[in-house]
Amino acid sequence: MTSRLLLQSGTLAVGASSLAVRASTLTTRASSLTARVGRRRVHTSKVQASFLEKLGLFMRPGSEAEAYVEPRSQPKVSIIERLGAMRRRGGYGLGGGMPLYVPIKAKNVEKAWEIWAKYLRYPDPTVPPPSRDSLVDMLMLVVNAVIPRTAGIITEAIRSKQPIAGFRTAVILRHIFAKSTGSEQAGHLSAFDLRLDLDRSEDYKHIIELLRLAVDSRLPGGNTRTIGELTADKLELEANDMEVSRLVQVLIQAAIQDGVEIDTDILRATLDVMITTQDVTAACDTLAECYTDLALLLDPQAQVSAKVVSRALDDPQSELCQMAIGGLLQLVAVGTDPKQVGVDPRQPQEDLPYAQLEDVVDFSDKQPTAEEMKAVHAWRTATAERIYRAFVSAGISQVPAPDNSPHSALQGSVVPTPEMVSSVLNIYLAAGDVEQAALYYEALKAVLNQQSAQVQSSSWNAAGCEELKSEHKMGSGLWADIAHAACRSGQLWLAAQILGDMAGDGWAPLQSVYEQYIDAVSDPNEASLATAMRELQDRILANGISVTNLAVREPLICALTGQRDVVPKEFLTTRIEQAIVLFDIPNAEDIVSDETARDILSALIASGQLTRAQDLADTWSSGRPNLVTHQFAAELVRGLGRAGDHTQALELFSNYQHLDQGESTLDMLCAVLEVYMRAGDFAEAISVGKRIRTMVNANPHEQPERETYNYLLSAYCQKFQPSEAMCVLEEMRRYKVHANSDTYAVLAQSMSTLRSLDGMRLVSALANVDYNMAVSESEQSTATYSRPLPLGIDYYNSMIEA
């Protein structure tokens, strides 16, 4: 036993000695390693670091060690912490919280905007703000998300996101330009580093196009203050409260600093923004940065830089020059004198919620006086004339006279585009200068005569007109614009000539244009209207187009017979007669479509010509089995009831019900209810009302008009059933058909007759509730949601009587 133990101890001793030798060898290697690397960091594992620490060759960070050994394996950290560490070391200049780098690289627009918007709402003073470069990256992320860099079709889904992208673009640009650096001394905008480091002109064009969508067209526009001499601090303040038109000006300066040429596309997008904002002053200042001659055309006293030598009028036949002149004329047509600048800065439109718009802009401002409008039109006509003549004379040059005369001769000319001439024509028509307008219309026809008709793209049909020919000389939008302008000025002879030439160019005038032409008749009697219609017919025929052409006569008949609020009943009768006489409607069954025929019948019913409407319906129904619809029959029943012919109305309803096998529509039942109420048969009215309530309860999406509920309330009150009347009122509130003054007047009179004090108190309480909960304008999209209050005199008289 003893010998065995001695043998094992000998073996252990040998093992210990071998370990000592290995340790000595490792120590020698470590010493040589330390001598070789000096004070450089040695990357090793945790196990080796622990072993070297025991040997005295490794010390933890913070100790006075000759050699520092850093473990190879690092603790696991998230990508956010890793990027934050890189930012603190200067690797990234990104914002606080979750950095913008991740969503920008992942092309996640919504996440990037969410992070940055959160930073703007809840700024943390301990976290540095986003750098300018990161904001530029986010700007291009927003732009490229709705306008692809590669050519392709933009879908409706993407197009619907562009206004939101425009709003975001404006906000990001304000913060980018606020971070621009420059001289501490006051200087021009060009003294600051505004570069975005974008080398593609398409990028600047897309940014400006989105900025145009950031403008709310419902807000009034106008000239803004000129950006004067700036310091770095003043630029930051200006940028944070900068109008969209001024953002475009700064953006153009940034493009120039980036070495991007202000080409035709960028200039077109810029002028579109100025036209939308109606900012002539900003347009002058922007053009002074790149095209000084155009800036001087808008304002001869504009401050231009001598360093800018680019001139657009040097080549009047170029696409850029013709586009620029056309854009300037469109701007003049909506703008005002650049010297009339508002001095009160407004908060940027796109930064305001719609609920606060009324707090910023006073929509109740007085309309401009006649003297003010006269001054505006004088500036517009003078500026338009200056721009137009400068373009026309740009192609004229002096050449030696052919007869060796000492005087030189003039040679060459430039033909203006139809867009230019039509813009000047509209300006003179708005100013009421008929003589100059007539001269420019003759000039427009001369320009069109020099052009050859050709098949044009779909963009020429901007007004949505029907084509009479496949080739045209001018777009439908331009024709419609000058026709509207002539009608607004009251010049019927010129409007008729324009409509005739429009048809001769292959465009059928729209119903809206015909309506303005008819409304422009100063004396709406039968003789004046007949004269205007004959002149229009003659002008159309003179251009080789027949008035009986379906595309021409259909909108004209609809314009004559259409029921509009601006047309009194007696004038509607005159117009219907003129349509019937002009096109011989009773004897020509195929002169109008079924839809237009129904409009004519409805117009006859509205004007009280019930017998004529019924005779025409009987005549046309023989060849048109689908002409008489449920709605037309209901209108005829209602019209007969309002005319006092209750018996014939009920007979018509009975015959209609027999032909329709006992089924009645909601419109028909509402019409019959009105007939019974006008006839004084309240019991039958209640019976029909019960059918209406059952139909509505079965299909709540189909609701009658509020007047139908008022008739039913009145019927219950007349039959001394106030509880049922209150049930009907409750159904109205359930289906969000708001009561009006007539509703509560009927209930108040009923409660007064019944001597019901509790009922009066209930009606008064409900009326007060509705008075304090008036419907907003946004909810007035349908007739059932019209404004119910204030309460009328009948209601208060009933309350006083009770």
Side-chain angles (χ1 to χ4, degrees):
M1 183 68 176
T2 304
S3 62
R4 188 183 302 168
L5 291 174
L6 290 174
L7 181 61
Q8 290 182 357
S9 61
T11 304
L12 291 174
V14 174
S17 63
S18 64
L19 286 175
V21 173
R22 293 178 61 188
S24 176
T25 304
L26 184 59
T27 302
T28 303
R29 291 178 178 177
S31 299
S32 63
L33 179 62
T34 304
R36 185 169 65 251
V37 300
R39 300 186 60 87
R40 293 175 61 187
R41 293 184 177 183
V42 179
H43 296 274
T44 181
S45 65
K46 278 187 175 181
V47 177
Q48 292 174 344
S50 178
F51 183 77
L52 292 174
E53 183 181 10
K54 291 180 181 180
L55 295 178
L57 298 175
F58 172 76
M59 299 296 289
R60 292 294 179 182
S63 63
E64 297 178 358
E66 293 296 331
Y68 176 77
V69 180
E70 183 181 10
R72 179 179 300 169
S73 60
Q74 300 287 342
K76 293 184 178 180
V77 294
S78 64
I79 185 65
I80 305 306
E81 295 173 347
R82 194 174 304 166
L83 289 173
M86 297 179 70
R87 175 181 56 78
R88 287 190 293 273
R89 292 201 302 267
Y92 298 101
L94 304 177
M98 182 177 180
L100 294 174
Y101 179 79
V102 174
I104 289 176
K105 291 301 180 184
K107 297 183 179 180
N108 191 337
V109 181
E110 299 303 325
K111 190 62 179 179
W113 181 260
E114 178 186 351
I115 295 170
W116 191 56
K118 184 178 181 180
Y119 170 80
L120 292 179
R121 289 195 301 267
Y122 310 108
D124 187 355
T126 63
V127 177
S131 67
R132 193 176 187 273
D133 293 338
S134 61
L135 291 180
V136 173
D137 291 340
M138 189 168 70
L139 170 67
M140 296 313 302
L141 175 66
V142 171
V143 173
N144 293 332
V146 294
I147 303 180
R149 294 174 69 93
T150 58
I153 299 176
I154 299 179
T155 62
E156 287 299 326
I158 295 179
R159 197 179 302 277
S160 63
K161 297 179 181 179
Q162 289 182 347
I164 300 176
F167 156 76
R168 293 175 175 177
T169 301
V171 175
I172 297 173
L173 277 176
R174 288 193 181 96
H175 287 268
I176 290 176
F177 293 139
K179 293 177 177 292
S180 299
T181 59
S183 174
E184 294 296 330
Q185 299 179 354
H188 186 259
L189 193 63
S190 58
F192 293 84
D193 186 7
L194 304 171
R195 294 175 297 173
L196 300 181
D197 294 330
L198 304 177
D199 55 353
R200 297 174 71 249
S201 61
E202 291 81 2
D203 293 336
Y204 280 98
K205 183 191 73 169
H206 295 161
I207 294 173
I208 298 175
E209 288 175 349
L210 289 180
L211 285 177
R212 182 178 63 84
L213 299 177
V215 180
D216 192 342
S217 58
R218 297 177 298 176
L219 291 178
N223 297 331
T224 55
R225 294 179 296 111
T226 299
I227 301 177
E229 299 293 322
L230 298 173
T231 60
D233 294 337
K234 190 176 180 182
L235 174 61
E236 182 176 358
L237 294 176
E238 289 278 348
N240 288 326
D241 193 27
M242 190 172 285
E243 297 282 349
V244 172
S245 55
R246 293 298 172 179
L247 277 178
V248 174
Q249 177 189 351
V250 181
L251 192 64
I252 291 297
Q253 182 62 42
I256 294 174
Q257 293 182 8
D258 275 337
V260 175
E261 180 185 1
I262 309 302
D263 56 8
T264 304
D265 294 335
I266 295 179
L267 187 58
R268 179 185 291 109
T270 300
L271 291 177
D272 286 344
V273 174
M274 302 306 173
I275 294 170
T276 305
T277 57
Q278 304 175 1
D279 196 344
V280 179
T281 307
C284 287
D285 296 341
T286 304
L287 292 173
E289 305 287 345
C290 49
Y291 295 103
T292 55
D293 52 345
L294 298 180
L296 293 174
L297 285 179
L298 274 180
D299 184 8
Q301 300 178 0
Q303 300 293 328
V304 296
S305 174
K307 299 180 181 179
V308 181
V309 296
S310 180
R311 296 180 57 85
L313 290 175
D314 290 344
D315 185 7
Q317 298 290 355
S318 65
E319 180 185 2
L320 185 144
C321 181
Q322 296 189 0
M323 181 279 305
I325 295 298
L328 290 182
L329 290 173
Q330 293 179 28
L331 177 61
V332 170
V334 298
T336 55
D337 191 343
K339 299 182 182 61
Q340 300 176 359
V341 180
V343 294
D344 297 329
R346 291 190 289 116
Q347 187 172 351
Q349 313 171 1
E350 63 279 4
D351 288 353
L352 291 172
Y354 290 122
Q356 299 179 8
L357 290 180
E358 294 182 358
D359 298 335
V360 179
V361 182
D362 186 6
F363 290 98
S364 61
D365 287 344
K366 296 181 179 179
Q367 295 293 328
T369 62
E371 292 297 325
E372 292 173 343
M373 288 306 302
K374 184 177 180 180
V376 169
H377 289 307
W379 175 83
R380 289 177 178 176
T381 53
T383 307
E385 192 73 27
R386 180 172 60 249
I387 294 173
Y388 179 80
R389 291 187 180 277
F391 173 79
V392 174
S393 60
I396 299 178
S397 59
Q398 291 185 355
V399 296
D403 54 354
N404 296 324
S405 173
H407 302 287
S408 59
L410 298 180
Q411 175 178 302
S413 63
V414 178
V415 179
T417 63
E419 291 80 5
M420 299 179 192
V421 185
S422 60
S423 295
V424 181
L425 172 61
N426 289 335
I427 291 173
Y428 275 109
L429 284 173
D433 194 337
V434 182
E435 183 178 355
Q436 285 295 112
L439 292 176
Y440 273 99
Y441 185 68
E442 293 298 326
L444 176 62
K445 292 197 297 184
V447 170
L448 293 178
N449 289 334
Q450 294 184 13
Q451 296 182 356
S452 58
Q454 54 186 340
V455 179
Q456 300 293 342
S457 61
S458 58
S459 61
W460 267 44
N461 196 2
C465 299
E466 186 172 346
E467 292 185 276
L468 302 175
K469 302 176 182 177
S470 59
E471 297 180 346
H472 316 279
K473 294 183 177 181
M474 192 168 71
S476 63
L478 292 178
W479 283 114
D481 287 343
I482 61 177
H484 283 302
C487 294
R488 286 193 299 268
S489 65
Q491 306 301 321
L492 283 179
W493 63 273
L494 182 59
Q497 187 175 357
I498 293 173
L499 291 176
D501 294 337
M502 180 179 180
D505 194 31
W507 300 110
L510 294 174
Q511 178 180 345
S512 60
V513 181
Y514 284 134
E515 288 175 351
Q516 284 204 347
Y517 177 80
I518 297 170
D519 293 341
V521 178
S522 57
D523 188 8
N525 54 41
E526 188 173 356
S528 300
L529 186 61
T531 302
M533 288 296 102
R534 281 197 300 270
E535 185 171 3
L536 176 62
Q537 186 178 13
D538 293 341
R539 291 292 184 180
I540 294 177
L541 289 173
N543 285 274
I545 305 297
S546 175
V547 185
T548 58
N549 189 304
L550 179 63
V552 176
R553 71 169 184 263
E554 191 84 4
L556 180 55
I557 293 176
C558 291
L560 286 169
T561 61
Q563 302 179 53
R564 292 179 288 138
D565 296 336
V566 297
V567 182
K569 183 178 179 179
E570 57 273 16
F571 297 162
L572 179 60
T573 303
T574 303
R575 295 182 179 187
I576 294 173
E577 289 295 330
Q578 186 61 37
I580 293 176
V581 171
L582 183 63
F583 296 99
D584 194 16
I585 290 178
N587 299 324
E589 297 182 2
D590 58 344
I591 197 68
V592 292
S593 62
D594 288 352
E595 184 178 357
T596 305
R598 295 189 196 99
D599 292 339
I600 294 174
L601 297 176
S602 299
L604 288 172
I605 294 173
S607 63
Q609 304 181 56
L610 303 176
T611 304
R612 192 169 194 176
Q614 200 164 6
D615 293 342
L616 275 179
D618 294 339
T619 303
W620 286 343
S621 296
S622 58
R624 304 182 182 193
N626 299 324
L627 177 64
V628 179
T629 61
H630 301 282
Q631 185 177 2
F632 169 74
E635 289 180 0
L636 188 56
V637 169
R638 185 179 285 108
L640 291 171
R642 292 175 179 176
D645 197 348
H646 307 132
T647 303
Q648 188 176 358
L650 295 176
E651 288 180 358
L652 180 61
F653 167 67
S654 178
N655 295 334
Y656 173 80
Q657 197 172 23
H658 176 71
L659 293 175
D660 210 24
Q661 298 180 357
E663 296 183 2
S664 298
T665 62
L666 182 61
D667 290 338
M668 179 60 74
L669 292 178
C670 293
V672 173
L673 173 63
E674 181 179 346
V675 172
Y676 278 124
M677 288 299 298
R678 292 182 179 275
D681 194 344
F682 304 115
E684 289 295 331
I686 290 176
S687 176
V688 176
K690 290 180 179 179
R691 295 177 61 183
I692 293 176
R693 294 171 65 184
T694 302
M695 188 178 296
V696 171
N697 290 331
N699 185 14
H701 298 289
E702 188 176 4
Q703 289 291 329
E705 297 289 337
R706 185 173 52 198
E707 286 71 17
T708 301
Y709 280 110
N710 288 345
Y711 280 128
L712 187 54
L713 283 171
S714 180
Y716 279 120
C717 291
Q718 292 291 340
K719 298 300 290 184
F720 303 103
Q721 299 180 26
S723 59
E724 289 294 328
M726 298 305 293
C727 289
V728 173
L729 182 62
E730 181 61 28
E731 291 178 4
M732 292 176 63
R733 301 173 71 87
R734 186 195 315 159
Y735 297 128
K736 296 183 179 181
V737 181
H738 296 286
N740 61 356
S741 176
D742 295 337
T743 307
Y744 289 114
V746 170
L747 291 174
Q749 292 171 359
S750 174
M751 299 302 173
S752 174
T753 304
L754 295 174
R755 302 294 191 269
S756 175
L757 182 59
D758 292 337
M760 290 297 298
R761 288 175 177 171
L762 178 59
V763 172
S764 177
L766 293 174
N768 290 333
V769 169
D770 278 354
Y771 181 81
N772 293 322
M773 296 176 62
V775 185
S776 62
E777 294 290 342
S778 60
E779 294 179 346
Q780 298 187 27
S781 57
T782 59
T784 58
Y785 279 78
S786 59
R787 183 177 292 276
L789 300 170
L791 298 172
I793 298 177
D794 292 339
Y795 167 77
Y796 290 108
N797 287 339
S798 301
M799 297 294 290
I800 294 173
E801 181 183 355

